[in-house]
Amino acid sequence: MEPVLRSAPGIDRDIYPMPAFVKFEAADLAATTRWYEAAGFVVLAAMPGPGGATALVHLRRQRFQDILLVSARGVPTGGGRITMAAGGDDLRQRAADLAVAGGGTAQGPAPTPWRSDDLTLTDPDGNVVVLTEPRRADIDADPQWSAMVRDSVGREVN
């Protein structure tokens, strides 16, 4: 059964200088790319390497959520890890989509002590992407926490 590809909300396909990104190695670039598409990423660009085969795939979920996949030279090292805001993505549905896609794993979503739910994705090469979504009801139910967050928004960090 083919997975239903659901893009994450608000994918921005603009090309801009990326202030930060991660680069993960993939043993099978095409298979790992398909897995990330099931995780809500879109392919912005694919670049050929020597000989014409795809050597780099630029993926994005939302603005500033970029991953560059590169062909592994030998066995991928895995072990890369990044956390990204889920941005309203339905984490339970995303986990179900990835279960159908196969190749990697999805654990959760699981609650954290800091009032978020985290879905931990491990790609076919052992790299980890954590999608995190705040639990608004829990945050709003704690007036002290809500006030601190509200008061800190927009402050400059020295």
Side-chain angles (χ1 to χ4, degrees), residues 35 98 102-107 120-124:
W35 188 85
L98 286 163
T105 63
Q107 295 179 326
T120 302
L121 312 177
T122 304
D123 77 13

Side-chain angles (χ1 to χ4, degrees), residues 82-130:
I82 188 165
T83 298
M84 298 177 170
D89 201 359
D90 181 336
L91 297 181
R92 291 189 198 310
Q93 185 60 57
R94 185 63 63 200
D97 292 347
L98 286 163
V100 173
T105 63
Q107 295 179 326
T112 69
W114 44 90
R115 300 179 180 99
S116 69
D117 289 321
D118 287 2
L119 178 63
T120 302
L121 312 177
T122 304
D123 77 13
D125 303 291
N127 299 298
V128 176
V129 175
V130 178

Side-chain angles (χ1 to χ4, degrees), residues 37-156:
E37 288 175 317
F41 287 81
V42 296
V43 174
L44 286 186
M47 294 179 55
T54 301
L56 177 141
V57 176
H58 182 171
L59 301 166
R60 180 176 296 152
R61 275 190 85 251
Q62 296 179 6
R63 191 164 183 81
F64 306 122
Q65 293 185 348
D66 297 89
I67 295 176
L68 299 183
L69 290 180
V70 297
S71 293
R73 295 182 184 160
V75 177
T77 56
R81 185 178 183 98
I82 188 165
T83 298
M84 298 177 170
D89 201 359
D90 181 336
L91 297 181
R92 291 189 198 310
Q93 185 60 57
R94 185 63 63 200
D97 292 347
L98 286 163
V100 173
T105 63
Q107 295 179 326
T112 69
W114 44 90
R115 300 179 180 99
S116 69
D117 289 321
D118 287 2
L119 178 63
T120 302
L121 312 177
T122 304
D123 77 13
D125 303 291
N127 299 298
V128 176
V129 175
V130 178
L131 300 179
T132 186
E133 186 70 21
R135 289 192 314 273
R136 299 285 180 205
D138 290 356
I139 293 168
D140 293 343
D142 183 340
Q144 184 178 3
W145 174 258
S146 295
M148 184 203 53
V149 170
R150 192 173 37 255
D151 291 345
S152 68
V153 173
R155 287 189 187 168
E156 288 186 31

